[in-house]
Coordinates of all heavy atoms in Angstrom, one line a residue:
M197 N -146.8 -20.5 -86.1 CA -147.6 -21.7 -86.2 C -148.1 -22.1 -84.9 O -147.3 -22.1 -83.9 CB -146.7 -22.8 -86.9 CG -147.4 -24.1 -87.0 SD -146.4 -25.2 -88.0 CE -147.6 -26.4 -88.4
P198 N -149.3 -22.4 -84.7 CA -149.8 -22.8 -83.4 C -149.2 -24.1 -82.9 O -148.9 -25.0 -83.6 CB -151.3 -23.1 -83.6 CG -151.6 -22.5 -84.9 CD -150.4 -22.5 -85.7
P199 N -149.0 -24.2 -81.6 CA -148.4 -25.4 -81.0 C -149.4 -26.5 -81.0 O -150.6 -26.3 -80.9 CB -148.0 -25.0 -79.6 CG -149.0 -23.9 -79.2 CD -149.2 -23.2 -80.5
P200 N -149.0 -27.8 -81.1 CA -149.9 -28.9 -81.0 C -150.4 -29.0 -79.5 O -149.8 -28.6 -78.6 CB -149.1 -30.1 -81.3 CG -147.7 -29.7 -81.1 CD -147.6 -28.3 -81.3
A201 N -151.6 -29.6 -79.4 CA -152.2 -29.7 -78.1 C -151.4 -30.5 -77.1 O -151.4 -30.3 -75.9 CB -153.6 -30.3 -78.2
S202 N -150.5 -31.4 -77.6 CA -149.7 -32.2 -76.7 C -148.4 -31.5 -76.3 O -147.7 -32.0 -75.4 CB -149.3 -33.5 -77.5 OG -148.6 -33.2 -78.7
A203 N -148.2 -30.3 -76.8 CA -147.0 -29.6 -76.4 C -147.2 -28.9 -75.1 O -148.3 -28.8 -74.6 CB -146.6 -28.5 -77.5
T204 N -146.1 -28.5 -74.5 CA -146.1 -27.7 -73.2 C -145.4 -26.4 -73.5 O -144.3 -26.2 -73.1 CB -145.5 -28.5 -72.1 OG1 -146.0 -29.8 -72.0 CG2 -145.7 -27.8 -70.7
P205 N -146.1 -25.5 -74.2 CA -145.4 -24.2 -74.5 C -145.3 -23.3 -73.3 O -146.0 -23.4 -72.3 CB -146.4 -23.7 -75.6 CG -147.7 -24.2 -75.2 CD -147.4 -25.6 -74.7
K206 N -144.4 -22.4 -73.5 CA -144.2 -21.3 -72.5 C -144.8 -20.0 -73.1 O -144.6 -19.8 -74.3 CB -142.8 -21.1 -72.1 CG -142.1 -22.2 -71.4 CD -140.6 -21.9 -71.2 CE -139.9 -23.1 -70.6 NZ -138.5 -22.9 -70.4
W207 N -145.5 -19.3 -72.3 CA -146.1 -18.0 -72.8 C -145.5 -16.9 -71.9 O -145.5 -17.1 -70.7 CB -147.6 -18.0 -72.7 CG -148.2 -19.2 -73.4 CD1 -148.6 -20.4 -72.9 CD2 -148.5 -19.2 -74.8 NE1 -149.1 -21.2 -73.9 CE2 -149.1 -20.5 -75.1 CE3 -148.4 -18.3 -75.9 CZ2 -149.5 -20.9 -76.4 CZ3 -148.8 -18.7 -77.1 CH2 -149.4 -19.9 -77.4
R208 N -145.1 -15.8 -72.5 CA -144.6 -14.7 -71.7 C -145.5 -13.5 -71.9 O -145.8 -13.1 -73.0 CB -143.2 -14.3 -72.2 CG -142.6 -13.2 -71.5 CD -141.1 -12.9 -71.9 NE -140.3 -14.0 -71.7 CZ -139.5 -14.5 -72.7 NH1 -139.4 -13.9 -73.8 NH2 -138.8 -15.6 -72.4
F209 N -145.9 -13.0 -70.7 CA -146.8 -11.8 -70.7 C -145.9 -10.6 -70.2 O -145.2 -10.7 -69.1 CB -148.0 -11.9 -69.8 CG -148.9 -13.0 -70.2 CD1 -149.2 -14.1 -69.3 CD2 -149.5 -13.0 -71.4 CE1 -150.1 -15.1 -69.7 CE2 -150.4 -14.0 -71.8 CZ -150.7 -15.1 -70.9
V210 N -145.9 -9.5 -70.9 CA -145.1 -8.3 -70.6 C -146.1 -7.2 -70.6 O -146.9 -7.1 -71.5 CB -143.9 -8.1 -71.5 CG1 -143.1 -6.9 -71.1 CG2 -143.1 -9.3 -71.6
T211 N -146.0 -6.3 -69.6 CA -147.0 -5.2 -69.6 C -146.3 -3.9 -69.0 O -145.3 -3.9 -68.4 CB -148.2 -5.6 -68.7 OG1 -149.1 -4.5 -68.7 CG2 -147.7 -5.8 -67.2
D212 N -147.0 -2.8 -69.4 CA -146.6 -1.5 -68.8 C -147.7 -1.0 -67.9 O -147.6 0.1 -67.4 CB -146.3 -0.5 -69.9 CG -147.5 -0.3 -70.8 OD1 -148.5 -1.0 -70.6 OD2 -147.4 0.6 -71.7
F213 N -148.7 -1.8 -67.6 CA -149.9 -1.4 -66.8 C -150.4 -2.6 -66.0 O -150.0 -3.7 -66.4 CB -151.0 -0.9 -67.8 CG -152.0 -0.1 -67.1 CD1 -151.8 1.2 -66.7 CD2 -153.3 -0.7 -66.7 CE1 -152.8 1.9 -66.0 CE2 -154.2 0.0 -66.1 CZ -154.0 1.3 -65.7
H214 N -151.2 -2.4 -65.0 CA -151.7 -3.5 -64.2 C -152.8 -4.3 -65.0 O -153.8 -3.7 -65.4 CB -152.3 -3.0 -62.9 CG -153.0 -4.1 -62.1 ND1 -154.3 -4.0 -61.8 CD2 -152.5 -5.2 -61.6 CE1 -154.6 -5.1 -61.1 NE2 -153.5 -5.9 -61.0
H215 N -152.5 -5.6 -65.2 CA -153.5 -6.5 -65.8 C -153.6 -7.8 -65.1 O -152.6 -8.5 -65.1 CB -153.1 -6.7 -67.3 CG -153.0 -5.6 -68.2 ND1 -154.1 -4.8 -68.6 CD2 -151.9 -5.0 -68.7 CE1 -153.7 -3.9 -69.4 NE2 -152.4 -3.9 -69.4
P216 N -154.7 -8.2 -64.5 CA -154.9 -9.5 -64.0 C -155.3 -10.4 -65.2 O -156.5 -10.3 -65.7 CB -156.0 -9.4 -63.0 CG -156.7 -8.2 -63.3 CD -155.8 -7.3 -64.1
I217 N -154.4 -11.2 -65.7 CA -154.7 -12.0 -67.0 C -155.3 -13.3 -66.6 O -154.8 -14.1 -65.8 CB -153.4 -12.2 -67.7 CG1 -152.8 -10.9 -68.1 CG2 -153.7 -13.0 -69.0 CD1 -153.6 -10.0 -69.0
H218 N -156.5 -13.6 -67.2 CA -157.2 -14.8 -66.9 C -157.3 -15.7 -68.2 O -157.7 -15.2 -69.3 CB -158.6 -14.5 -66.5 CG -159.6 -15.6 -66.3 ND1 -159.3 -16.7 -65.4 CD2 -160.7 -15.9 -67.0 CE1 -160.3 -17.5 -65.5 NE2 -161.2 -17.1 -66.5
L219 N -156.9 -17.0 -68.0 CA -157.0 -17.9 -69.1 C -158.2 -18.8 -69.0 O -158.4 -19.4 -67.9 CB -155.7 -18.8 -69.1 CG -155.6 -19.9 -70.2 CD1 -155.6 -19.3 -71.6 CD2 -154.3 -20.6 -69.9
H220 N -159.0 -18.9 -70.0 CA -160.2 -19.8 -69.9 C -159.9 -21.2 -70.1 O -159.0 -21.6 -70.9 CB -161.2 -19.3 -71.0 CG -162.0 -18.1 -70.7 ND1 -163.3 -17.9 -71.1 CD2 -161.6 -17.0 -69.9 CE1 -163.7 -16.7 -70.6 NE2 -162.7 -16.2 -69.9
L221 N -160.7 -22.1 -69.5 CA -160.7 -23.5 -69.7 C -159.4 -24.3 -69.3 O -159.4 -25.5 -69.5 CB -161.1 -23.9 -71.1 CG -162.4 -23.3 -71.6 CD1 -162.6 -23.7 -73.1 CD2 -163.5 -23.9 -70.8
N222 N -158.4 -23.6 -68.9 CA -157.1 -24.3 -68.6 C -156.4 -23.6 -67.4 O -156.4 -22.4 -67.4 CB -156.2 -24.3 -69.8 CG -155.8 -25.7 -70.3 OD1 -156.6 -26.6 -70.0 ND2 -154.7 -25.8 -70.9
Q223 N -155.9 -24.4 -66.5 CA -155.1 -23.8 -65.5 C -153.6 -23.9 -65.9 O -153.3 -24.6 -66.9 CB -155.3 -24.5 -64.2 CG -156.7 -24.3 -63.6 CD -156.8 -24.9 -62.3 OE1 -156.3 -26.0 -61.9 NE2 -157.6 -24.2 -61.4
F224 N -152.8 -23.1 -65.3 CA -151.3 -23.0 -65.7 C -150.4 -22.9 -64.5 O -150.9 -22.6 -63.3 CB -151.2 -21.8 -66.6 CG -151.6 -20.5 -66.1 CD1 -150.8 -19.7 -65.3 CD2 -152.9 -20.0 -66.4 CE1 -151.2 -18.5 -64.8 CE2 -153.4 -18.8 -65.9 CZ -152.5 -18.1 -65.1
H225 N -149.2 -23.0 -64.7 CA -148.1 -22.8 -63.7 C -147.3 -21.5 -64.0 O -147.1 -21.3 -65.2 CB -147.2 -24.0 -63.5 CG -147.7 -25.1 -62.7 ND1 -148.1 -26.3 -63.2 CD2 -148.0 -25.1 -61.4 CE1 -148.6 -27.1 -62.2 NE2 -148.5 -26.4 -61.1
I226 N -147.0 -20.8 -63.0 CA -146.1 -19.6 -63.3 C -144.7 -20.1 -63.1 O -144.3 -20.6 -62.1 CB -146.5 -18.5 -62.3 CG1 -147.9 -18.0 -62.5 CG2 -145.5 -17.3 -62.4 CD1 -148.4 -17.1 -61.4
L227 N -143.9 -19.9 -64.2 CA -142.5 -20.4 -64.2 C -141.5 -19.3 -63.7 O -140.5 -19.6 -63.0 CB -142.1 -20.7 -65.6 CG -142.9 -21.9 -66.3 CD1 -142.5 -22.0 -67.7 CD2 -142.7 -23.1 -65.5
S228 N -141.8 -18.0 -64.0 CA -140.9 -17.0 -63.5 C -141.7 -15.7 -63.4 O -142.7 -15.5 -64.1 CB -139.7 -16.8 -64.4 OG -140.1 -16.3 -65.7
R229 N -141.2 -14.8 -62.6 CA -141.7 -13.4 -62.5 C -140.5 -12.5 -62.6 O -139.7 -12.6 -61.7 CB -142.6 -13.2 -61.3 CG -143.2 -11.8 -61.2 CD -144.1 -11.7 -59.9 NE -145.3 -12.5 -60.0 CZ -146.4 -12.1 -60.5 NH1 -146.5 -10.9 -61.1 NH2 -147.5 -12.9 -60.5
N230 N -140.5 -11.6 -63.6 CA -139.3 -10.7 -63.7 C -138.0 -11.5 -63.8 O -137.0 -11.1 -63.2 CB -139.3 -9.6 -62.7 CG -140.6 -8.8 -62.7 OD1 -141.1 -8.5 -63.8 ND2 -141.1 -8.5 -61.6
N231 N -138.0 -12.6 -64.5 CA -136.8 -13.5 -64.7 C -136.3 -14.0 -63.3 O -135.1 -14.3 -63.3 CB -135.7 -12.7 -65.4 CG -136.2 -12.4 -66.8 OD1 -136.7 -13.3 -67.5 ND2 -136.0 -11.2 -67.3
T232 N -137.1 -14.1 -62.3 CA -136.7 -14.7 -61.0 C -137.7 -15.8 -60.7 O -138.7 -15.9 -61.2 CB -136.6 -13.7 -59.9 OG1 -137.9 -13.1 -59.7 CG2 -135.6 -12.5 -60.2
T233 N -137.3 -16.6 -59.7 CA -138.2 -17.6 -59.2 C -139.5 -17.0 -58.7 O -139.4 -16.0 -57.9 CB -137.5 -18.4 -58.1 OG1 -136.2 -18.9 -58.6 CG2 -138.3 -19.6 -57.6
P234 N -140.6 -17.6 -59.0 CA -141.9 -17.1 -58.5 C -142.0 -17.1 -57.0 O -141.4 -18.0 -56.4 CB -142.9 -18.0 -59.1 CG -142.2 -18.7 -60.2 CD -140.8 -18.8 -59.9
G235 N -142.7 -16.2 -56.4 CA -142.9 -16.1 -55.0 C -144.0 -17.0 -54.5 O -144.6 -17.8 -55.3
P236 N -144.2 -17.1 -53.2 CA -145.2 -18.0 -52.6 C -146.6 -17.9 -53.2 O -147.3 -18.8 -53.3 CB -145.2 -17.7 -51.1 CG -144.3 -16.5 -50.9 CD -143.6 -16.2 -52.2
Y237 N -147.0 -16.7 -53.5 CA -148.4 -16.5 -54.1 C -148.5 -16.9 -55.6 O -149.6 -17.0 -56.1 CB -148.8 -15.0 -54.0 CG -149.0 -14.5 -52.6 CD1 -148.1 -13.6 -52.0 CD2 -150.0 -15.1 -51.8 CE1 -148.3 -13.2 -50.7 CE2 -150.2 -14.7 -50.5 CZ -149.3 -13.8 -49.9 OH -149.5 -13.4 -48.6
D238 N -147.3 -17.2 -56.2 CA -147.3 -17.7 -57.6 C -147.3 -19.2 -57.6 O -147.2 -19.7 -58.7 CB -146.2 -17.1 -58.3 CG -146.4 -15.6 -58.6 OD1 -147.6 -15.2 -58.7 OD2 -145.4 -14.9 -58.8
Q239 N -147.3 -19.9 -56.5 CA -147.1 -21.4 -56.5 C -148.4 -22.0 -56.8 O -149.5 -21.5 -56.5 CB -146.6 -21.8 -55.1 CG -145.3 -21.2 -54.7 CD -144.2 -21.6 -55.7 OE1 -144.0 -22.7 -56.1 NE2 -143.4 -20.6 -56.1
G240 N -148.4 -23.2 -57.4 CA -149.6 -24.0 -57.6 C -150.3 -23.7 -58.9 O -149.8 -22.9 -59.7
W241 N -151.4 -24.4 -59.1 CA -152.2 -24.1 -60.3 C -152.9 -22.8 -60.3 O -153.5 -22.4 -59.2 CB -153.3 -25.3 -60.5 CG -152.6 -26.6 -60.9 CD1 -152.4 -27.6 -60.1 CD2 -152.1 -26.9 -62.2 NE1 -151.9 -28.6 -60.8 CE2 -151.7 -28.2 -62.1 CE3 -152.0 -26.3 -63.4 CZ2 -151.1 -28.9 -63.1 CZ3 -151.5 -26.9 -64.5 CH2 -151.0 -28.2 -64.3
K242 N -153.0 -22.1 -61.4 CA -153.6 -20.8 -61.4 C -154.5 -20.7 -62.6 O -154.3 -21.4 -63.6 CB -152.5 -19.7 -61.6 CG -151.5 -19.6 -60.5 CD -152.0 -19.2 -59.3 CE -150.9 -19.1 -58.2 NZ -151.5 -18.7 -56.9
D243 N -155.6 -19.8 -62.5 CA -156.3 -19.5 -63.7 C -156.2 -18.0 -64.0 O -156.7 -17.5 -65.1 CB -157.8 -19.9 -63.7 CG -158.6 -19.2 -62.6 OD1 -158.0 -18.3 -61.9 OD2 -159.8 -19.5 -62.4
T244 N -155.6 -17.2 -63.1 CA -155.3 -15.8 -63.3 C -154.0 -15.5 -62.7 O -153.5 -16.0 -61.7 CB -156.4 -15.0 -62.5 OG1 -157.7 -15.4 -63.0 CG2 -156.2 -13.5 -62.8
V245 N -153.3 -14.6 -63.4 CA -152.0 -14.1 -62.9 C -152.0 -12.6 -62.9 O -152.4 -11.9 -63.8 CB -150.8 -14.6 -63.8 CG1 -150.9 -14.2 -65.2 CG2 -149.5 -14.2 -63.2
E246 N -151.6 -12.0 -61.8 CA -151.5 -10.6 -61.6 C -150.2 -10.1 -62.3 O -149.1 -10.5 -62.0 CB -151.4 -10.2 -60.1 CG -152.7 -10.3 -59.4 CD -153.6 -9.2 -59.6 OE1 -153.2 -8.1 -59.9 OE2 -154.8 -9.4 -59.4
L247 N -150.4 -9.1 -63.2 CA -149.2 -8.5 -63.9 C -149.2 -7.0 -63.4 O -150.2 -6.3 -63.8 CB -149.4 -8.6 -65.4 CG -148.8 -9.8 -66.0 CD1 -149.3 -10.0 -67.4 CD2 -147.3 -9.8 -66.0
H248 N -148.2 -6.6 -62.7 CA -148.1 -5.2 -62.3 C -147.3 -4.5 -63.3 O -146.7 -5.0 -64.2 CB -147.4 -5.2 -60.9 CG -148.2 -5.9 -59.8 ND1 -147.9 -7.2 -59.4 CD2 -149.4 -5.6 -59.2 CE1 -148.8 -7.6 -58.5 NE2 -149.7 -6.7 -58.4
P249 N -147.4 -3.1 -63.3 CA -146.7 -2.3 -64.3 C -145.2 -2.7 -64.4 O -144.5 -2.9 -63.4 CB -146.8 -0.9 -63.7 CG -148.1 -0.9 -63.0 CD -148.1 -2.3 -62.3
A250 N -144.8 -2.9 -65.6 CA -143.4 -3.2 -66.0 C -143.0 -4.6 -65.6 O -141.8 -4.9 -65.6 CB -142.4 -2.2 -65.4
E251 N -143.9 -5.5 -65.3 CA -143.6 -6.9 -64.9 C -143.6 -7.8 -66.2 O -144.3 -7.5 -67.2 CB -144.6 -7.4 -63.9 CG -144.2 -7.0 -62.5 CD -144.9 -7.9 -61.5 OE1 -146.1 -8.3 -61.7 OE2 -144.3 -8.3 -60.5
E252 N -142.9 -8.9 -66.0 CA -142.9 -9.9 -67.1 C -143.1 -11.3 -66.4 O -142.4 -11.6 -65.4 CB -141.5 -9.9 -67.8 CG -141.4 -11.0 -68.8 CD -140.0 -11.0 -69.4 OE1 -139.5 -9.8 -69.8 OE2 -139.4 -12.0 -69.5
V253 N -144.1 -12.0 -66.8 CA -144.4 -13.3 -66.2 C -144.4 -14.4 -67.3 O -144.9 -14.2 -68.4 CB -145.7 -13.3 -65.5 CG1 -146.2 -14.7 -65.0 CG2 -145.7 -12.4 -64.3
E254 N -143.7 -15.5 -67.0 CA -143.7 -16.6 -67.9 C -144.6 -17.8 -67.3 O -144.4 -18.1 -66.1 CB -142.3 -17.1 -68.1 CG -142.1 -18.0 -69.3 CD -140.7 -18.3 -69.6 OE1 -140.0 -18.8 -68.7 OE2 -140.3 -18.1 -70.7
I255 N -145.5 -18.3 -68.1 CA -146.3 -19.4 -67.6 C -146.2 -20.6 -68.6 O -145.7 -20.5 -69.7 CB -147.8 -19.0 -67.6 CG1 -148.4 -18.8 -69.0 CG2 -148.0 -17.7 -66.7 CD1 -149.9 -18.7 -69.0
T256 N -146.7 -21.7 -68.1 CA -146.8 -22.9 -69.0 C -148.0 -23.7 -68.7 O -148.5 -23.7 -67.5 CB -145.5 -23.8 -68.8 OG1 -145.6 -24.8 -69.9 CG2 -145.5 -24.5 -67.5
T257 N -148.6 -24.3 -69.7 CA -149.8 -25.1 -69.6 C -149.9 -26.0 -70.8 O -149.2 -25.8 -71.8 CB -151.0 -24.3 -69.4 OG1 -152.1 -25.1 -69.0 CG2 -151.4 -23.6 -70.7
R258 N -150.7 -27.0 -70.7 CA -151.0 -27.9 -71.8 C -152.5 -27.8 -72.1 O -153.3 -27.9 -71.2 CB -150.6 -29.4 -71.5 CG -149.1 -29.6 -71.3 CD -148.8 -31.0 -71.0 NE -149.1 -31.8 -72.1 CZ -149.0 -33.1 -72.1 NH1 -148.7 -33.8 -71.0 NH2 -149.3 -33.8 -73.2
F259 N -152.8 -27.6 -73.4 CA -154.2 -27.5 -73.8 C -154.6 -28.9 -74.3 O -154.5 -29.2 -75.5 CB -154.3 -26.5 -74.9 CG -153.9 -25.1 -74.5 CD1 -152.6 -24.6 -74.6 CD2 -154.8 -24.3 -73.8 CE1 -152.2 -23.4 -74.2 CE2 -154.5 -23.0 -73.4 CZ -153.2 -22.6 -73.6
T260 N -155.1 -29.7 -73.4 CA -155.3 -31.1 -73.8 C -156.8 -31.4 -74.0 O -157.2 -32.5 -74.5 CB -154.8 -32.1 -72.7 OG1 -155.4 -31.7 -71.4 CG2 -153.3 -32.0 -72.6
D261 N -157.7 -30.5 -73.7 CA -159.2 -30.8 -73.8 C -159.6 -31.0 -75.2 O -160.4 -31.8 -75.6 CB -160.0 -29.7 -73.1 CG -159.8 -29.7 -71.6 OD1 -159.4 -30.7 -71.1 OD2 -160.0 -28.7 -71.0
Y262 N -159.1 -30.1 -76.1 CA -159.4 -30.2 -77.5 C -158.5 -29.3 -78.3 O -157.9 -28.4 -77.7 CB -160.9 -29.7 -77.8 CG -161.1 -28.3 -77.4 CD1 -161.0 -27.3 -78.4 CD2 -161.5 -27.9 -76.1 CE1 -161.1 -25.9 -78.1 CE2 -161.7 -26.6 -75.8 CZ -161.5 -25.6 -76.8 OH -161.7 -24.3 -76.4
P263 N -158.2 -29.6 -79.6 CA -157.4 -28.6 -80.4 C -158.3 -27.5 -80.8 O -159.5 -27.6 -81.2 CB -157.0 -29.5 -81.6 CG -158.1 -30.5 -81.7 CD -158.6 -30.8 -80.3
G264 N -157.8 -26.3 -80.8 CA -158.6 -25.1 -81.2 C -158.2 -23.9 -80.4 O -157.1 -23.7 -79.9
R265 N -159.2 -23.0 -80.3 CA -159.0 -21.7 -79.7 C -159.3 -21.7 -78.2 O -160.3 -22.2 -77.8 CB -159.8 -20.6 -80.4 CG -159.3 -20.5 -81.9 CD -160.2 -19.6 -82.8 NE -161.1 -18.7 -82.1 CZ -161.5 -17.6 -82.6 NH1 -161.2 -17.3 -83.8 NH2 -162.3 -16.8 -82.0
Y266 N -158.4 -21.0 -77.5 CA -158.6 -20.8 -76.0 C -158.5 -19.3 -75.8 O -157.6 -18.7 -76.2 CB -157.5 -21.6 -75.2 CG -157.7 -23.1 -75.2 CD1 -157.2 -23.8 -76.3 CD2 -158.2 -23.7 -74.1 CE1 -157.3 -25.2 -76.3 CE2 -158.4 -25.1 -74.1 CZ -157.9 -25.8 -75.2 OH -158.0 -27.2 -75.2
A267 N -159.5 -18.8 -75.1 CA -159.6 -17.3 -74.9 C -158.8 -17.0 -73.6 O -158.8 -17.7 -72.6 CB -161.0 -16.9 -74.7
F268 N -158.2 -15.8 -73.6 CA -157.6 -15.2 -72.4 C -157.9 -13.7 -72.5 O -158.1 -13.1 -73.6 CB -156.2 -15.5 -72.2 CG -155.2 -14.9 -73.2 CD1 -154.5 -13.7 -72.8 CD2 -155.0 -15.4 -74.4 CE1 -153.6 -13.1 -73.6 CE2 -154.1 -14.8 -75.3 CZ -153.4 -13.6 -74.9
H269 N -158.0 -13.1 -71.3 CA -158.4 -11.7 -71.2 C -158.0 -11.1 -69.9 O -157.6 -11.8 -69.0 CB -159.9 -11.5 -71.4 CG -160.7 -12.1 -70.3 ND1 -161.1 -11.4 -69.2 CD2 -161.2 -13.4 -70.2 CE1 -161.8 -12.2 -68.4 NE2 -161.9 -13.4 -69.0
C270 N -158.0 -9.8 -69.9 CA -157.8 -9.0 -68.7 C -159.0 -9.0 -67.8 O -160.1 -8.8 -68.3 CB -157.3 -7.6 -69.0 SG -156.9 -6.7 -67.5
H271 N -158.8 -9.2 -66.5 CA -160.0 -9.2 -65.6 C -160.3 -7.8 -65.0 O -161.2 -7.7 -64.2 CB -159.8 -10.2 -64.4 CG -160.7 -11.4 -64.5 ND1 -162.0 -11.3 -64.7 CD2 -160.4 -12.7 -64.5 CE1 -162.5 -12.5 -64.7 NE2 -161.6 -13.4 -64.6
N272 N -159.5 -6.8 -65.4 CA -159.8 -5.5 -65.0 C -161.1 -5.1 -65.7 O -161.2 -5.2 -67.0 CB -158.7 -4.6 -65.4 CG -158.9 -3.1 -65.1 OD1 -160.0 -2.6 -65.2 ND2 -157.9 -2.4 -64.7
L273 N -162.2 -4.7 -65.0 CA -163.5 -4.5 -65.6 C -163.5 -3.5 -66.8 O -164.1 -3.7 -67.8 CB -164.5 -4.2 -64.6 CG -164.9 -5.3 -63.6 CD1 -165.9 -4.8 -62.6 CD2 -165.4 -6.5 -64.3
E274 N -162.7 -2.4 -66.5 CA -162.6 -1.4 -67.6 C -162.0 -2.0 -68.8 O -162.4 -1.7 -70.0 CB -161.9 -0.2 -67.1 CG -162.6 0.6 -66.0 CD -161.8 1.8 -65.6 OE1 -160.6 1.9 -65.9 OE2 -162.4 2.6 -64.8
H275 N -161.0 -2.8 -68.6 CA -160.3 -3.4 -69.8 C -161.2 -4.5 -70.5 O -161.2 -4.6 -71.7 CB -158.9 -4.0 -69.3 CG -158.0 -3.0 -68.8 ND1 -156.8 -3.3 -68.3 CD2 -158.1 -1.7 -68.7 CE1 -156.1 -2.2 -67.9 NE2 -156.9 -1.2 -68.2
E276 N -161.9 -5.2 -69.6 CA -162.9 -6.2 -70.2 C -163.9 -5.4 -71.1 O -164.2 -5.9 -72.2 CB -163.6 -6.9 -69.2 CG -162.8 -8.0 -68.5 CD -163.7 -8.8 -67.5 OE1 -164.8 -8.5 -67.3 OE2 -163.1 -9.8 -66.9
D277 N -164.4 -4.3 -70.6 CA -165.3 -3.5 -71.4 C -164.7 -3.0 -72.7 O -165.4 -2.7 -73.6 CB -165.9 -2.3 -70.6 CG -166.8 -2.8 -69.4 OD1 -167.2 -4.0 -69.5 OD2 -167.0 -2.0 -68.5
M278 N -163.4 -2.8 -72.7 CA -162.7 -2.4 -73.9 C -162.3 -3.5 -74.8 O -161.5 -3.4 -75.7 CB -161.5 -1.5 -73.6 CG -161.9 -0.2 -73.0 SD -160.6 1.0 -72.7 CE -159.7 0.2 -71.3
A279 N -162.8 -4.8 -74.4 CA -162.5 -6.0 -75.2 C -161.0 -6.4 -75.2 O -160.5 -6.8 -76.3 CB -163.0 -5.8 -76.6
M280 N -160.3 -6.2 -74.1 CA -158.9 -6.6 -74.0 C -158.9 -8.1 -73.9 O -158.9 -8.7 -72.8 CB -158.2 -6.0 -72.8 CG -156.7 -6.3 -72.8 SD -155.9 -5.4 -71.5 CE -155.9 -3.7 -72.1
M281 N -159.0 -8.8 -75.0 CA -159.1 -10.2 -75.1 C -158.4 -10.8 -76.3 O -158.3 -10.1 -77.3 CB -160.6 -10.6 -75.1 CG -161.0 -12.0 -75.2 SD -162.7 -12.3 -75.1 CE -162.8 -12.9 -73.4
A282 N -157.9 -12.0 -76.2 CA -157.3 -12.6 -77.4 C -157.5 -14.1 -77.3 O -158.0 -14.6 -76.3 CB -155.8 -12.3 -77.4
T283 N -157.0 -14.8 -78.3 CA -157.1 -16.3 -78.3 C -155.8 -16.9 -78.6 O -154.9 -16.3 -79.3 CB -158.1 -16.8 -79.3 OG1 -157.8 -16.4 -80.6 CG2 -159.6 -16.4 -79.0
L284 N -155.6 -18.1 -78.0 CA -154.4 -18.9 -78.3 C -155.0 -20.1 -79.1 O -156.1 -20.6 -78.8 CB -153.8 -19.5 -77.0 CG -153.3 -18.4 -76.0 CD1 -152.9 -19.1 -74.7 CD2 -152.2 -17.6 -76.5
T285 N -154.3 -20.5 -80.1 CA -154.8 -21.6 -81.0 C -153.9 -22.8 -80.9 O -152.7 -22.6 -81.2 CB -155.0 -21.1 -82.4 OG1 -155.9 -20.0 -82.4 CG2 -155.6 -22.2 -83.3
T286 N -154.4 -24.0 -80.7 CA -153.6 -25.2 -80.7 C -154.1 -26.0 -81.9 O -155.2 -25.9 -82.4 CB -153.7 -26.0 -79.4 OG1 -155.0 -26.4 -79.3 CG2 -153.3 -25.2 -78.2
T287 N -153.2 -27.0 -82.3 CA -153.6 -27.9 -83.4 C -153.6 -29.3 -82.8 O -153.2 -29.5 -81.6 CB -152.6 -27.8 -84.5 OG1 -151.3 -28.1 -84.0 CG2 -152.5 -26.4 -85.1
T288 N -154.0 -30.3 -83.6 CA -154.0 -31.7 -83.1 C -152.6 -32.2 -83.1 O -151.7 -31.7 -83.6 CB -154.8 -32.5 -84.1 OG1 -154.3 -32.4 -85.4 CG2 -156.3 -32.2 -84.0
Ligands
LIG479 CU1 -156.0 -5.0 -68.2

């Protein structure tokens, strides 16, 4: 079930390949990288997070602009061309 827009959900990205993941319309904070405290480059508001092979990153954000679909995708151009894209859906 999609989270309400007022929630602050955590999202976990896990990969076996390099993917710079970009979230549209919303910035986020990186909570952990490989189950450890994020490093200096992971501090502050982000719209893209680098995921290296075999990494796991947990992020959090609030989707407050509107309830509905928010797109995210890989910024690797070859992956973009292969439509590596998905949506997150929030409710009211
Ligand atoms: Cu990718």
Side-chain angles (χ1 to χ4, degrees):
M197 178 171 196
S202 59
T204 309
K206 295 177 183 176
W207 304 94
R208 180 176 300 132
F209 298 123
V210 181
T211 184
D212 58 357
F213 196 78
H214 174 240
H215 300 287
I217 302 297
H218 173 62
L219 178 62
H220 281 211
L221 302 176
N222 237 29
Q223 294 187 321
F224 55 84
H225 278 111
I226 298 172
L227 298 174
S228 67
R229 183 178 289 276
N230 299 322
N231 294 312
T232 62
T233 303
Y237 293 112
D238 287 334
Q239 302 299 314
W241 289 104
K242 303 291 183 187
D243 67 3
T244 303
V245 59
E246 287 280 335
L247 272 162
H248 299 102
E251 278 198 320
E252 175 180 316
V253 171
E254 193 173 56
I255 70 165
T256 188
T257 190
R258 293 181 69 187
F259 298 94
T260 57
D261 294 337
Y262 64 91
R265 294 171 24 155
Y266 289 80
F268 71 99
H269 65 92
C270 180
H271 251 308
N272 178 322
L273 292 178
E274 292 178 351
H275 296 175
E276 284 185 358
D277 289 347
M278 293 186 287
M280 186 176 287
M281 178 173 257
T283 58
L284 306 170
T285 303
T286 64
T287 60
T288 55

